[in-house]
């Protein structure tokens, strides 16, 4: 069984990601571990409880969306630093001793994505010795994925 870590927040339930996940599972059995980093709002003061609750809601939506396309998924919320969040989840080994077959990063489009400004995808590729797939949400869906 192939095991993938999915790193996303605002784009976790995007059709672009769900289509990719479905295509991976057509060839062989797959399971996914979703990591949703907390996101700090820029338009108001926030509390740790607020950002954790928002990430937990997004994780629940993601788990439901993945189940909706017929794939096995579990997950966790993570640190606001997406590279650290992915690293912590990979060390945790939620599926026991199984190795990771890949890391899927889903972001908003360039110009909108905070993660791309932080060079998250390149940093993940340097950090891990597994394939890293970068998926970008379509620009017209950016508002809907908030």
């Amino acid at each position: 069984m192939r095991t993938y870590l999915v790193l996303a927040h605002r784009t976790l339930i995007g059709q672009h990601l769900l289509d990719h996940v479905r295509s991976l599972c057509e060839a062989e059995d797959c399971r996914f571990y979703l990591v949703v980093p907390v996101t700090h709002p820029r338009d108001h003061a926030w509390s740790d409880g607020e950002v954790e609750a928002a990430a937990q809601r997004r994780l629940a939506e993601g788990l439901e969306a993945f189940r909706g396309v017929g794939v096995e998924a579990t997950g966790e919320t993570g640190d606001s630093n997406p590279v650290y969040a992915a690293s912590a989840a990979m060390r945790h080994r939620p599926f026991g001793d199984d190795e990771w077959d890949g890391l899927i990063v889903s972001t908003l489009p360039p110009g909108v994505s905070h993660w791309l400004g932080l060079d998250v995808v390149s940093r993940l590729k340097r950090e891990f010795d597994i394939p890293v797939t970068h998926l970008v949400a379509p620009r017209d869906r950016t508002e809907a994925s908030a």
Side-chain angles (χ1 to χ4, degrees):
M1 178 174 287
R2 305 291 258 170
T3 304
Y4 297 93
L5 187 139
V6 176
L7 182 67
H9 188 115
R10 290 179 58 188
T11 62
L12 183 61
I13 59 173
Q15 197 60 49
H16 70 292
L17 176 57
L18 297 174
D19 288 344
H20 181 74
V21 163
R22 193 179 298 114
S23 71
L24 288 172
C25 296
E26 286 176 354
E28 57 191 309
D29 289 338
C30 298
R31 62 184 169 193
F32 298 87
Y33 194 74
L34 313 182
V35 176
V36 179
V38 297
T39 300
H40 302 136
R42 297 179 189 176
D43 62 348
H44 67 277
W46 48 269
S47 69
D48 288 339
E50 175 191 359
V51 297
E52 179 63 29
Q56 287 289 344
R57 281 192 301 276
R58 180 54 72 166
L59 175 60
E61 293 168 348
L63 292 171
E64 183 178 330
F66 275 59
R67 280 191 295 271
V69 297
V71 299
E72 179 185 344
T74 58
E76 67 183 62
T77 60
D79 190 81
S80 63
N81 177 326
V83 176
Y84 181 79
S87 180
M90 292 181 115
R91 283 191 314 269
H92 172 201
R93 297 213 182 269
F95 297 113
D97 290 334
D98 287 355
E99 295 295 322
W100 295 100
D101 293 297
L103 190 148
I104 302 166
V105 183
S106 178
T107 69
L108 294 169
V112 180
S113 173
H114 178 66
W115 289 4
L116 292 180
L118 297 173
D119 199 26
V120 167
V121 177
S122 295
R123 290 170 53 204
L124 289 167
K125 287 179 178 180
R126 286 190 304 268
E127 177 97 11
F128 303 112
D129 190 27
I130 60 170
V132 176
T133 302
H134 178 211
L135 303 176
V136 178
R139 189 166 292 281
D140 62 339
R141 300 290 301 177
T142 301
E143 296 299 324
S145 66

